[in-house]
Amino acid sequence: MKKALVLLSGGLDSATTLAIARAQGFACHCISFDYGQRHRAELAAARRVAANLGAVEFRVLRFDLAQLGGSALTDASIEIPTGGVQPGIPSTYVPARNTIMLSLALAWAEILDCRDIFIGINALDYSGYPDCRPEYLAAFERMANLATRAAVEGAPFSFHAPLIDCTKAQIVQRGVALGVDYSITVSCYQADGEGRACGVCDACRLRRNGFSAAGIPDPTPYFSA
């Protein structure tokens, strides 16, 4: 089987992406990141998802963006927005996060002799992050194929974002068809220690609306309405 490296956050989109990669016949190695985020529930969820969907291997790499701050996800002095998705780039944007994560994933992929890297970014039902756009991923792929020995020696990398142009409802429907158990995933920006969601942050609103639009019951455990 061909190998794939899947960035796995433990949320709805990355779980669906892992299921898609598996359905395409890849042996999936999964990587998650402890980057100084304010809660760890998503890392526990990623481990559950990797096991549930038959990942060959699961690793967590650590780097600490909390030392820099600048995001509601890494700095406790910045409030998580709960008033609904607004135009513009929200305070939950983490500067350079996807670039760092993709770089670390690229390093492991080259070591694994793996040429296919999957990430669950989405450019439709999302919070406006600039590093979730197709042009960003295309630019990163070009850089990766300039900067690695594997590519220079004739084995270039391909970066896959199978959900990039899907609505959240389409993602949910696709995942359900592939057998994803969304009850074990965590998307919330401020989940509690048990992985229960707040229901009011941007990630919760997008997720809840996706299940509603898909006509599928939302299995998410919430600690508030």
Side-chain angles (χ1 to χ4, degrees):
M1 295 175 69
K2 288 180 63 178
K3 297 175 184 176
L5 186 14
V6 182
L7 282 77
L8 188 63
S9 70
L12 182 150
D13 293 345
S14 69
T16 308
T17 298
L18 172 56
I20 290 169
R22 185 186 66 168
Q24 291 178 2
F26 287 99
C28 297
H29 298 255
C30 295
I31 188 168
S32 291
F33 301 95
D34 183 347
Y35 62 89
Q37 61 267 54
R38 289 166 58 179
H39 66 76
R40 297 294 185 272
E42 64 188 40
L43 294 174
R47 190 174 297 278
R48 291 194 300 268
V49 170
N52 185 260
L53 291 176
V56 174
E57 186 175 4
F58 172 77
R59 291 193 183 188
V60 177
L61 294 190
R62 294 171 177 83
F63 58 95
D64 191 6
L65 290 180
Q67 294 180 87
L68 303 177
S71 168
L73 298 190
T74 58
D75 187 340
S77 70
I78 303 174
E79 290 188 6
I80 300 287
T82 58
V85 180
Q86 302 296 323
I89 300 172
S91 63
T92 50
Y93 163 70
V94 183
R97 179 180 61 176
N98 279 358
T99 301
I100 296 169
M101 290 179 175
L102 281 170
S103 296
L104 292 170
L106 174 64
W108 192 28
E110 189 167 24
I111 291 164
L112 288 171
D113 195 24
C114 165
R115 298 295 172 260
D116 293 276
I117 299 173
F118 284 74
I119 183 170
I121 57 176
N122 176 263
L124 289 183
D125 286 350
Y126 77 127
S127 295
Y129 301 150
D131 53 3
C132 287
R133 297 175 296 166
E135 54 266 44
Y136 163 78
L137 191 62
F140 192 95
E141 182 178 273
R142 289 195 298 272
M143 182 279 298
N145 286 323
L146 286 170
T148 52
R149 181 174 66 183
V152 169
E153 292 181 348
F157 293 89
S158 294
F159 286 76
H160 307 269
L163 309 180
I164 194 75
D165 58 358
C166 296
T167 65
K168 197 66 76 177
Q170 289 169 331
I171 294 168
V172 168
Q173 290 168 336
R174 194 167 182 184
V176 168
L178 291 172
V180 177
D181 180 0
Y182 288 120
S183 71
I184 66 174
T185 65
V186 174
S187 301
C188 180
Y189 291 148
Q190 49 186 358
D192 68 10
E194 299 176 21
R196 295 179 301 176
C198 72
V200 292
C201 69
D202 288 359
C204 280
R205 290 177 187 272
L206 290 168
R207 177 180 170 121
R208 178 178 275 173
N209 290 342
F211 279 105
S212 177
I216 294 171
D218 182 0
T220 308
Y222 293 98
F223 65 78
S224 62

